[in-house]
């Protein structure tokens, strides 16, 4: 029996007018839960490049990465208790650049949410990532102290 190896993935908390873009998963894993657009990092991609590509592929939005907001381990076990999957998701804060979000195979529903008023049915760790990403987005929007 082969034990699954950790898979590197990335996501982005894209902010526009103070709200964060979330997608309700239309496929497994996490079917039906609200989460950040994201997915696997491809060979040769940086985390930021992968996050921007995944946001475009999943919801049709172009974004600019501001920085890393945090990381979440997604560890799943089968009915017998054996490890079935392990994803390490590095999440970024991002600013919306262009495009209106659209649903697709991976994103059954999309919405812009206030960071402090997320839906109840979200993926584990999402609230903390959105909070950290929001702090980065606010710092990016702050006027330059040197004028």
């Amino acid at each position: 029996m082969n034990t699954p190896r950790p898979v590197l993935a990335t996501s982005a908390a894209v902010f526009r007018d103070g709200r964060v873009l979330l997608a309700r998963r239309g496929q497994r894993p996490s079917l039906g839960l609200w989460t950040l657009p994201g997915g696997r990092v491809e060979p040769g991609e940086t985390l930021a490049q992968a996050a921007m590509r995944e946001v475009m592929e999943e919801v049709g939005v172009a974004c600019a990465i501001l920085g890393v907001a945090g990381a979440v381990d997604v560890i799943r076990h089968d009915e017998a208790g054996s490890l079935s999957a392990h994803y390490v998701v590095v999440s970024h804060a991002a600013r919306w650049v262009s495009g209106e979000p659209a649903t697709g195979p991976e994103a059954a529903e999309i919405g812009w949410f206030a960071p402090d008023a997320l839906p109840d049915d979200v993926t584990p760790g999402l609230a903390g990532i959105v909070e950290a990403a929001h702090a980065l987005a606010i710092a990016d929007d702050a006027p330059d102290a040197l004028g």
Side-chain angles (χ1 to χ4, degrees), residues 73-109:
D73 284 288
V74 179
I75 300 173
R76 293 197 163 78
H77 295 88
D78 62 20
E79 292 176 6
S82 297
L83 181 65
S84 61
H86 181 178
Y87 295 92
V88 178
V89 184
V90 179
S91 298
H92 296 79
R95 181 176 18 86
W96 174 87
V97 172
S98 66
E100 292 305 321
T103 59
E106 292 183 49
E109 188 177 353

PDB file of all heavy atoms in Angstrom, residues 73-109:
ATOM      1  N   ASP A  73      -3.172  22.708   6.077  1.00  0.00           N
ATOM      2  CA  ASP A  73      -3.034  21.298   5.704  1.00  0.00           C
ATOM      3  C   ASP A  73      -4.426  20.713   5.581  1.00  0.00           C
ATOM      4  O   ASP A  73      -5.243  20.844   6.504  1.00  0.00           O
ATOM      5  CB  ASP A  73      -2.278  20.525   6.788  1.00  0.00           C
ATOM      6  CG  ASP A  73      -0.796  20.807   6.760  1.00  0.00           C
ATOM      7  OD1 ASP A  73      -0.149  20.326   5.823  1.00  0.00           O
ATOM      8  OD2 ASP A  73      -0.301  21.495   7.680  1.00  0.00           O
ATOM      9  N   VAL A  74      -4.709  20.084   4.469  1.00  0.00           N
ATOM     10  CA  VAL A  74      -5.967  19.367   4.269  1.00  0.00           C
ATOM     11  C   VAL A  74      -5.608  17.888   4.256  1.00  0.00           C
ATOM     12  O   VAL A  74      -4.992  17.402   3.303  1.00  0.00           O
ATOM     13  CB  VAL A  74      -6.658  19.785   2.954  1.00  0.00           C
ATOM     14  CG1 VAL A  74      -7.957  19.005   2.768  1.00  0.00           C
ATOM     15  CG2 VAL A  74      -6.902  21.290   2.927  1.00  0.00           C
ATOM     16  N   ILE A  75      -5.957  17.202   5.334  1.00  0.00           N
ATOM     17  CA  ILE A  75      -5.598  15.798   5.498  1.00  0.00           C
ATOM     18  C   ILE A  75      -6.892  14.994   5.584  1.00  0.00           C
ATOM     19  O   ILE A  75      -7.755  15.278   6.420  1.00  0.00           O
ATOM     20  CB  ILE A  75      -4.738  15.600   6.756  1.00  0.00           C
ATOM     21  CG1 ILE A  75      -3.450  16.425   6.614  1.00  0.00           C
ATOM     22  CG2 ILE A  75      -4.432  14.124   6.972  1.00  0.00           C
ATOM     23  CD1 ILE A  75      -2.583  16.462   7.861  1.00  0.00           C
ATOM     24  N   ARG A  76      -7.002  14.001   4.715  1.00  0.00           N
ATOM     25  CA  ARG A  76      -8.212  13.172   4.658  1.00  0.00           C
ATOM     26  C   ARG A  76      -7.856  11.714   4.924  1.00  0.00           C
ATOM     27  O   ARG A  76      -6.795  11.238   4.513  1.00  0.00           O
ATOM     28  CB  ARG A  76      -8.876  13.305   3.298  1.00  0.00           C
ATOM     29  CG  ARG A  76      -9.442  14.688   3.069  1.00  0.00           C
ATOM     30  CD  ARG A  76     -10.442  14.680   1.917  1.00  0.00           C
ATOM     31  NE  ARG A  76     -11.262  15.857   1.944  1.00  0.00           N
ATOM     32  CZ  ARG A  76     -10.883  17.050   1.536  1.00  0.00           C
ATOM     33  NH1 ARG A  76      -9.676  17.232   1.080  1.00  0.00           N
ATOM     34  NH2 ARG A  76     -11.701  18.075   1.588  1.00  0.00           N
ATOM     35  N   HIS A  77      -8.796  11.031   5.578  1.00  0.00           N
ATOM     36  CA  HIS A  77      -8.644   9.604   5.847  1.00  0.00           C
ATOM     37  C   HIS A  77      -9.828   8.850   5.263  1.00  0.00           C
ATOM     38  O   HIS A  77     -10.937   9.391   5.187  1.00  0.00           O
ATOM     39  CB  HIS A  77      -8.568   9.366   7.360  1.00  0.00           C
ATOM     40  CG  HIS A  77      -7.351   9.983   7.979  1.00  0.00           C
ATOM     41  ND1 HIS A  77      -7.325  11.275   8.429  1.00  0.00           N
ATOM     42  CD2 HIS A  77      -6.113   9.482   8.187  1.00  0.00           C
ATOM     43  CE1 HIS A  77      -6.127  11.554   8.912  1.00  0.00           C
ATOM     44  NE2 HIS A  77      -5.369  10.484   8.768  1.00  0.00           N
ATOM     45  N   ASP A  78      -9.600   7.608   4.877  1.00  0.00           N
ATOM     46  CA  ASP A  78     -10.695   6.791   4.352  1.00  0.00           C
ATOM     47  C   ASP A  78     -11.489   6.194   5.514  1.00  0.00           C
ATOM     48  O   ASP A  78     -11.197   6.469   6.692  1.00  0.00           O
ATOM     49  CB  ASP A  78     -10.176   5.712   3.387  1.00  0.00           C
ATOM     50  CG  ASP A  78      -9.238   4.713   4.045  1.00  0.00           C
ATOM     51  OD1 ASP A  78      -9.248   4.575   5.297  1.00  0.00           O
ATOM     52  OD2 ASP A  78      -8.482   4.048   3.308  1.00  0.00           O
ATOM     53  N   GLU A  79     -12.496   5.396   5.202  1.00  0.00           N
ATOM     54  CA  GLU A  79     -13.379   4.835   6.230  1.00  0.00           C
ATOM     55  C   GLU A  79     -12.635   3.954   7.226  1.00  0.00           C
ATOM     56  O   GLU A  79     -13.053   3.816   8.370  1.00  0.00           O
ATOM     57  CB  GLU A  79     -14.514   4.061   5.576  1.00  0.00           C
ATOM     58  CG  GLU A  79     -15.474   4.954   4.819  1.00  0.00           C
ATOM     59  CD  GLU A  79     -16.554   4.178   4.097  1.00  0.00           C
ATOM     60  OE1 GLU A  79     -16.648   2.951   4.267  1.00  0.00           O
ATOM     61  OE2 GLU A  79     -17.308   4.824   3.352  1.00  0.00           O
ATOM     62  N   ALA A  80     -11.528   3.349   6.797  1.00  0.00           N
ATOM     63  CA  ALA A  80     -10.735   2.485   7.680  1.00  0.00           C
ATOM     64  C   ALA A  80      -9.760   3.293   8.534  1.00  0.00           C
ATOM     65  O   ALA A  80      -9.072   2.725   9.385  1.00  0.00           O
ATOM     66  CB  ALA A  80      -9.978   1.450   6.847  1.00  0.00           C
ATOM     67  N   GLY A  81      -9.678   4.602   8.289  1.00  0.00           N
ATOM     68  CA  GLY A  81      -8.780   5.454   9.053  1.00  0.00           C
ATOM     69  C   GLY A  81      -7.416   5.651   8.427  1.00  0.00           C
ATOM     70  O   GLY A  81      -6.562   6.331   8.985  1.00  0.00           O
ATOM     71  N   SER A  82      -7.198   5.075   7.249  1.00  0.00           N
ATOM     72  CA  SER A  82      -5.922   5.241   6.560  1.00  0.00           C
ATOM     73  C   SER A  82      -5.874   6.586   5.838  1.00  0.00           C
ATOM     74  O   SER A  82      -6.902   7.071   5.354  1.00  0.00           O
ATOM     75  CB  SER A  82      -5.718   4.120   5.541  1.00  0.00           C
ATOM     76  OG  SER A  82      -5.647   2.868   6.187  1.00  0.00           O
ATOM     77  N   LEU A  83      -4.690   7.136   5.755  1.00  0.00           N
ATOM     78  CA  LEU A  83      -4.504   8.396   5.052  1.00  0.00           C
ATOM     79  C   LEU A  83      -4.876   8.219   3.582  1.00  0.00           C
ATOM     80  O   LEU A  83      -4.367   7.333   2.906  1.00  0.00           O
ATOM     81  CB  LEU A  83      -3.037   8.842   5.166  1.00  0.00           C
ATOM     82  CG  LEU A  83      -2.674  10.159   4.502  1.00  0.00           C
ATOM     83  CD1 LEU A  83      -3.397  11.323   5.172  1.00  0.00           C
ATOM     84  CD2 LEU A  83      -1.165  10.373   4.565  1.00  0.00           C
ATOM     85  N   SER A  84      -5.788   9.065   3.092  1.00  0.00           N
ATOM     86  CA  SER A  84      -6.196   8.976   1.687  1.00  0.00           C
ATOM     87  C   SER A  84      -5.709  10.164   0.863  1.00  0.00           C
ATOM     88  O   SER A  84      -5.554  10.053  -0.349  1.00  0.00           O
ATOM     89  CB  SER A  84      -7.716   8.846   1.565  1.00  0.00           C
ATOM     90  OG  SER A  84      -8.352   9.977   2.125  1.00  0.00           O
ATOM     91  N   ALA A  85      -5.456  11.306   1.506  1.00  0.00           N
ATOM     92  CA  ALA A  85      -4.982  12.482   0.786  1.00  0.00           C
ATOM     93  C   ALA A  85      -4.381  13.476   1.764  1.00  0.00           C
ATOM     94  O   ALA A  85      -4.810  13.565   2.920  1.00  0.00           O
ATOM     95  CB  ALA A  85      -6.115  13.144   0.014  1.00  0.00           C
ATOM     96  N   HIS A  86      -3.394  14.210   1.292  1.00  0.00           N
ATOM     97  CA  HIS A  86      -2.790  15.283   2.084  1.00  0.00           C
ATOM     98  C   HIS A  86      -2.409  16.408   1.125  1.00  0.00           C
ATOM     99  O   HIS A  86      -1.580  16.229   0.240  1.00  0.00           O
ATOM    100  CB  HIS A  86      -1.547  14.780   2.825  1.00  0.00           C
ATOM    101  CG  HIS A  86      -0.907  15.844   3.675  1.00  0.00           C
ATOM    102  ND1 HIS A  86       0.191  15.573   4.445  1.00  0.00           N
ATOM    103  CD2 HIS A  86      -1.194  17.147   3.891  1.00  0.00           C
ATOM    104  CE1 HIS A  86       0.554  16.670   5.095  1.00  0.00           C
ATOM    105  NE2 HIS A  86      -0.281  17.636   4.758  1.00  0.00           N
ATOM    106  N   TYR A  87      -3.068  17.551   1.281  1.00  0.00           N
ATOM    107  CA  TYR A  87      -2.771  18.743   0.494  1.00  0.00           C
ATOM    108  C   TYR A  87      -2.206  19.814   1.423  1.00  0.00           C
ATOM    109  O   TYR A  87      -2.701  20.001   2.533  1.00  0.00           O
ATOM    110  CB  TYR A  87      -4.030  19.309  -0.178  1.00  0.00           C
ATOM    111  CG  TYR A  87      -4.620  18.382  -1.203  1.00  0.00           C
ATOM    112  CD1 TYR A  87      -5.605  17.465  -0.861  1.00  0.00           C
ATOM    113  CD2 TYR A  87      -4.199  18.429  -2.527  1.00  0.00           C
ATOM    114  CE1 TYR A  87      -6.143  16.605  -1.803  1.00  0.00           C
ATOM    115  CE2 TYR A  87      -4.734  17.580  -3.477  1.00  0.00           C
ATOM    116  CZ  TYR A  87      -5.704  16.671  -3.101  1.00  0.00           C
ATOM    117  OH  TYR A  87      -6.233  15.823  -4.041  1.00  0.00           O
ATOM    118  N   VAL A  88      -1.186  20.499   0.988  1.00  0.00           N
ATOM    119  CA  VAL A  88      -0.661  21.663   1.679  1.00  0.00           C
ATOM    120  C   VAL A  88      -1.043  22.853   0.804  1.00  0.00           C
ATOM    121  O   VAL A  88      -0.549  22.995  -0.317  1.00  0.00           O
ATOM    122  CB  VAL A  88       0.870  21.588   1.856  1.00  0.00           C
ATOM    123  CG1 VAL A  88       1.381  22.846   2.547  1.00  0.00           C
ATOM    124  CG2 VAL A  88       1.258  20.333   2.627  1.00  0.00           C
ATOM    125  N   VAL A  89      -1.959  23.683   1.311  1.00  0.00           N
ATOM    126  CA  VAL A  89      -2.478  24.804   0.534  1.00  0.00           C
ATOM    127  C   VAL A  89      -1.882  26.106   1.070  1.00  0.00           C
ATOM    128  O   VAL A  89      -2.138  26.485   2.212  1.00  0.00           O
ATOM    129  CB  VAL A  89      -4.024  24.864   0.598  1.00  0.00           C
ATOM    130  CG1 VAL A  89      -4.545  25.995  -0.295  1.00  0.00           C
ATOM    131  CG2 VAL A  89      -4.638  23.533   0.221  1.00  0.00           C
ATOM    132  N   VAL A  90      -1.081  26.762   0.241  1.00  0.00           N
ATOM    133  CA  VAL A  90      -0.508  28.059   0.590  1.00  0.00           C
ATOM    134  C   VAL A  90      -1.437  29.121  -0.007  1.00  0.00           C
ATOM    135  O   VAL A  90      -1.612  29.184  -1.221  1.00  0.00           O
ATOM    136  CB  VAL A  90       0.927  28.206   0.047  1.00  0.00           C
ATOM    137  CG1 VAL A  90       1.489  29.583   0.407  1.00  0.00           C
ATOM    138  CG2 VAL A  90       1.820  27.091   0.588  1.00  0.00           C
ATOM    139  N   SER A  91      -2.027  29.913   0.875  1.00  0.00           N
ATOM    140  CA  SER A  91      -3.025  30.899   0.447  1.00  0.00           C
ATOM    141  C   SER A  91      -2.429  32.299   0.408  1.00  0.00           C
ATOM    142  O   SER A  91      -1.625  32.668   1.262  1.00  0.00           O
ATOM    143  CB  SER A  91      -4.224  30.877   1.398  1.00  0.00           C
ATOM    144  OG  SER A  91      -4.839  29.614   1.370  1.00  0.00           O
ATOM    145  N   HIS A  92      -2.859  33.045  -0.596  1.00  0.00           N
ATOM    146  CA  HIS A  92      -2.371  34.400  -0.828  1.00  0.00           C
ATOM    147  C   HIS A  92      -3.475  35.429  -0.648  1.00  0.00           C
ATOM    148  O   HIS A  92      -4.654  35.130  -0.828  1.00  0.00           O
ATOM    149  CB  HIS A  92      -1.861  34.537  -2.270  1.00  0.00           C
ATOM    150  CG  HIS A  92      -0.695  33.673  -2.570  1.00  0.00           C
ATOM    151  ND1 HIS A  92      -0.812  32.323  -2.852  1.00  0.00           N
ATOM    152  CD2 HIS A  92       0.617  33.959  -2.624  1.00  0.00           C
ATOM    153  CE1 HIS A  92       0.387  31.825  -3.070  1.00  0.00           C
ATOM    154  NE2 HIS A  92       1.269  32.798  -2.949  1.00  0.00           N
ATOM    155  N   ALA A  93      -3.068  36.651  -0.360  1.00  0.00           N
ATOM    156  CA  ALA A  93      -3.948  37.812  -0.474  1.00  0.00           C
ATOM    157  C   ALA A  93      -3.746  38.347  -1.883  1.00  0.00           C
ATOM    158  O   ALA A  93      -2.626  38.335  -2.408  1.00  0.00           O
ATOM    159  CB  ALA A  93      -3.577  38.874   0.547  1.00  0.00           C
ATOM    160  N   ALA A  94      -4.828  38.803  -2.505  1.00  0.00           N
ATOM    161  CA  ALA A  94      -4.739  39.334  -3.864  1.00  0.00           C
ATOM    162  C   ALA A  94      -5.735  40.465  -4.047  1.00  0.00           C
ATOM    163  O   ALA A  94      -6.728  40.566  -3.321  1.00  0.00           O
ATOM    164  CB  ALA A  94      -5.009  38.227  -4.883  1.00  0.00           C
ATOM    165  N   ARG A  95      -5.427  41.294  -5.027  1.00  0.00           N
ATOM    166  CA  ARG A  95      -6.305  42.401  -5.399  1.00  0.00           C
ATOM    167  C   ARG A  95      -6.924  42.078  -6.750  1.00  0.00           C
ATOM    168  O   ARG A  95      -6.241  41.641  -7.675  1.00  0.00           O
ATOM    169  CB  ARG A  95      -5.478  43.687  -5.478  1.00  0.00           C
ATOM    170  CG  ARG A  95      -6.249  44.921  -5.820  1.00  0.00           C
ATOM    171  CD  ARG A  95      -5.382  46.191  -5.785  1.00  0.00           C
ATOM    172  NE  ARG A  95      -3.944  46.001  -5.831  1.00  0.00           N
ATOM    173  CZ  ARG A  95      -3.220  45.875  -6.950  1.00  0.00           C
ATOM    174  NH1 ARG A  95      -3.804  45.897  -8.132  1.00  0.00           N
ATOM    175  NH2 ARG A  95      -1.912  45.730  -6.894  1.00  0.00           N
ATOM    176  N   TRP A  96      -8.223  42.302  -6.887  1.00  0.00           N
ATOM    177  CA  TRP A  96      -8.928  42.118  -8.156  1.00  0.00           C
ATOM    178  C   TRP A  96      -8.340  43.086  -9.170  1.00  0.00           C
ATOM    179  O   TRP A  96      -8.094  44.264  -8.877  1.00  0.00           O
ATOM    180  CB  TRP A  96     -10.413  42.394  -7.954  1.00  0.00           C
ATOM    181  CG  TRP A  96     -11.217  42.385  -9.215  1.00  0.00           C
ATOM    182  CD1 TRP A  96     -11.792  41.306  -9.809  1.00  0.00           C
ATOM    183  CD2 TRP A  96     -11.549  43.510 -10.041  1.00  0.00           C
ATOM    184  NE1 TRP A  96     -12.455  41.681 -10.952  1.00  0.00           N
ATOM    185  CE2 TRP A  96     -12.316  43.033 -11.119  1.00  0.00           C
ATOM    186  CE3 TRP A  96     -11.241  44.862  -9.976  1.00  0.00           C
ATOM    187  CZ2 TRP A  96     -12.795  43.876 -12.116  1.00  0.00           C
ATOM    188  CZ3 TRP A  96     -11.723  45.703 -10.964  1.00  0.00           C
ATOM    189  CH2 TRP A  96     -12.494  45.199 -12.024  1.00  0.00           C
ATOM    190  N   VAL A  97      -8.103  42.589 -10.412  1.00  0.00           N
ATOM    191  CA  VAL A  97      -7.594  43.426 -11.494  1.00  0.00           C
ATOM    192  C   VAL A  97      -8.652  43.597 -12.570  1.00  0.00           C
ATOM    193  O   VAL A  97      -8.943  44.713 -12.995  1.00  0.00           O
ATOM    194  CB  VAL A  97      -6.297  42.834 -12.096  1.00  0.00           C
ATOM    195  CG1 VAL A  97      -5.863  43.595 -13.338  1.00  0.00           C
ATOM    196  CG2 VAL A  97      -5.181  42.816 -11.058  1.00  0.00           C
ATOM    197  N   SER A  98      -9.251  42.483 -13.021  1.00  0.00           N
ATOM    198  CA  SER A  98     -10.268  42.568 -14.067  1.00  0.00           C
ATOM    199  C   SER A  98     -11.069  41.279 -14.126  1.00  0.00           C
ATOM    200  O   SER A  98     -10.670  40.254 -13.574  1.00  0.00           O
ATOM    201  CB  SER A  98      -9.626  42.852 -15.434  1.00  0.00           C
ATOM    202  OG  SER A  98      -8.822  41.752 -15.835  1.00  0.00           O
ATOM    203  N   GLY A  99     -12.186  41.350 -14.836  1.00  0.00           N
ATOM    204  CA  GLY A  99     -13.039  40.184 -15.044  1.00  0.00           C
ATOM    205  C   GLY A  99     -14.156  40.095 -14.027  1.00  0.00           C
ATOM    206  O   GLY A  99     -13.985  40.447 -12.868  1.00  0.00           O
ATOM    207  N   GLU A 100     -15.295  39.655 -14.515  1.00  0.00           N
ATOM    208  CA  GLU A 100     -16.417  39.404 -13.612  1.00  0.00           C
ATOM    209  C   GLU A 100     -16.466  37.906 -13.353  1.00  0.00           C
ATOM    210  O   GLU A 100     -16.442  37.114 -14.305  1.00  0.00           O
ATOM    211  CB  GLU A 100     -17.727  39.897 -14.227  1.00  0.00           C
ATOM    212  CG  GLU A 100     -17.802  41.401 -14.350  1.00  0.00           C
ATOM    213  CD  GLU A 100     -17.569  42.138 -13.034  1.00  0.00           C
ATOM    214  OE1 GLU A 100     -18.049  41.672 -11.973  1.00  0.00           O
ATOM    215  OE2 GLU A 100     -16.895  43.185 -13.061  1.00  0.00           O
ATOM    216  N   PRO A 101     -16.512  37.499 -12.085  1.00  0.00           N
ATOM    217  CA  PRO A 101     -16.470  36.072 -11.780  1.00  0.00           C
ATOM    218  C   PRO A 101     -17.639  35.311 -12.389  1.00  0.00           C
ATOM    219  O   PRO A 101     -18.759  35.826 -12.458  1.00  0.00           O
ATOM    220  CB  PRO A 101     -16.496  36.010 -10.255  1.00  0.00           C
ATOM    221  CG  PRO A 101     -16.990  37.337  -9.812  1.00  0.00           C
ATOM    222  CD  PRO A 101     -16.678  38.324 -10.892  1.00  0.00           C
ATOM    223  N   ALA A 102     -17.343  34.103 -12.844  1.00  0.00           N
ATOM    224  CA  ALA A 102     -18.359  33.245 -13.458  1.00  0.00           C
ATOM    225  C   ALA A 102     -18.238  31.836 -12.888  1.00  0.00           C
ATOM    226  O   ALA A 102     -17.152  31.401 -12.509  1.00  0.00           O
ATOM    227  CB  ALA A 102     -18.156  33.209 -14.973  1.00  0.00           C
ATOM    228  N   THR A 103     -19.351  31.153 -12.851  1.00  0.00           N
ATOM    229  CA  THR A 103     -19.351  29.770 -12.372  1.00  0.00           C
ATOM    230  C   THR A 103     -18.774  28.853 -13.452  1.00  0.00           C
ATOM    231  O   THR A 103     -18.624  29.240 -14.607  1.00  0.00           O
ATOM    232  CB  THR A 103     -20.776  29.307 -12.014  1.00  0.00           C
ATOM    233  OG1 THR A 103     -21.589  29.417 -13.173  1.00  0.00           O
ATOM    234  CG2 THR A 103     -21.350  30.128 -10.875  1.00  0.00           C
ATOM    235  N   GLY A 104     -18.456  27.648 -13.048  1.00  0.00           N
ATOM    236  CA  GLY A 104     -17.910  26.643 -13.954  1.00  0.00           C
ATOM    237  C   GLY A 104     -17.939  25.290 -13.278  1.00  0.00           C
ATOM    238  O   GLY A 104     -18.578  25.138 -12.234  1.00  0.00           O
ATOM    239  N   PRO A 105     -17.244  24.307 -13.823  1.00  0.00           N
ATOM    240  CA  PRO A 105     -17.266  22.964 -13.242  1.00  0.00           C
ATOM    241  C   PRO A 105     -16.791  22.908 -11.789  1.00  0.00           C
ATOM    242  O   PRO A 105     -17.336  22.162 -10.983  1.00  0.00           O
ATOM    243  CB  PRO A 105     -16.319  22.165 -14.145  1.00  0.00           C
ATOM    244  CG  PRO A 105     -16.240  22.937 -15.412  1.00  0.00           C
ATOM    245  CD  PRO A 105     -16.458  24.370 -15.050  1.00  0.00           C
ATOM    246  N   GLU A 106     -15.778  23.706 -11.454  1.00  0.00           N
ATOM    247  CA  GLU A 106     -15.250  23.673 -10.087  1.00  0.00           C
ATOM    248  C   GLU A 106     -15.974  24.641  -9.163  1.00  0.00           C
ATOM    249  O   GLU A 106     -16.024  24.411  -7.957  1.00  0.00           O
ATOM    250  CB  GLU A 106     -13.755  23.983 -10.096  1.00  0.00           C
ATOM    251  CG  GLU A 106     -12.936  22.893 -10.763  1.00  0.00           C
ATOM    252  CD  GLU A 106     -11.454  23.169 -10.691  1.00  0.00           C
ATOM    253  OE1 GLU A 106     -10.960  23.471  -9.594  1.00  0.00           O
ATOM    254  OE2 GLU A 106     -10.788  23.078 -11.734  1.00  0.00           O
ATOM    255  N   ALA A 107     -16.498  25.718  -9.698  1.00  0.00           N
ATOM    256  CA  ALA A 107     -17.178  26.737  -8.895  1.00  0.00           C
ATOM    257  C   ALA A 107     -18.661  26.760  -9.266  1.00  0.00           C
ATOM    258  O   ALA A 107     -19.052  27.377 -10.250  1.00  0.00           O
ATOM    259  CB  ALA A 107     -16.548  28.102  -9.138  1.00  0.00           C
ATOM    260  N   ALA A 108     -19.468  26.077  -8.470  1.00  0.00           N
ATOM    261  CA  ALA A 108     -20.899  25.983  -8.744  1.00  0.00           C
ATOM    262  C   ALA A 108     -21.626  27.288  -8.454  1.00  0.00           C
ATOM    263  O   ALA A 108     -22.681  27.571  -9.028  1.00  0.00           O
ATOM    264  CB  ALA A 108     -21.515  24.851  -7.930  1.00  0.00           C
ATOM    265  N   GLU A 109     -21.068  28.084  -7.562  1.00  0.00           N
ATOM    266  CA  GLU A 109     -21.664  29.360  -7.171  1.00  0.00           C
ATOM    267  C   GLU A 109     -20.515  30.258  -6.737  1.00  0.00           C
ATOM    268  O   GLU A 109     -19.501  29.787  -6.229  1.00  0.00           O
ATOM    269  CB  GLU A 109     -22.631  29.121  -6.004  1.00  0.00           C
ATOM    270  CG  GLU A 109     -23.460  30.284  -5.592  1.00  0.00           C
ATOM    271  CD  GLU A 109     -24.442  29.938  -4.467  1.00  0.00           C
ATOM    272  OE1 GLU A 109     -24.569  28.765  -4.098  1.00  0.00           O
ATOM    273  OE2 GLU A 109     -25.087  30.885  -3.961  1.00  0.00           O
TER     274      GLU A 109
END
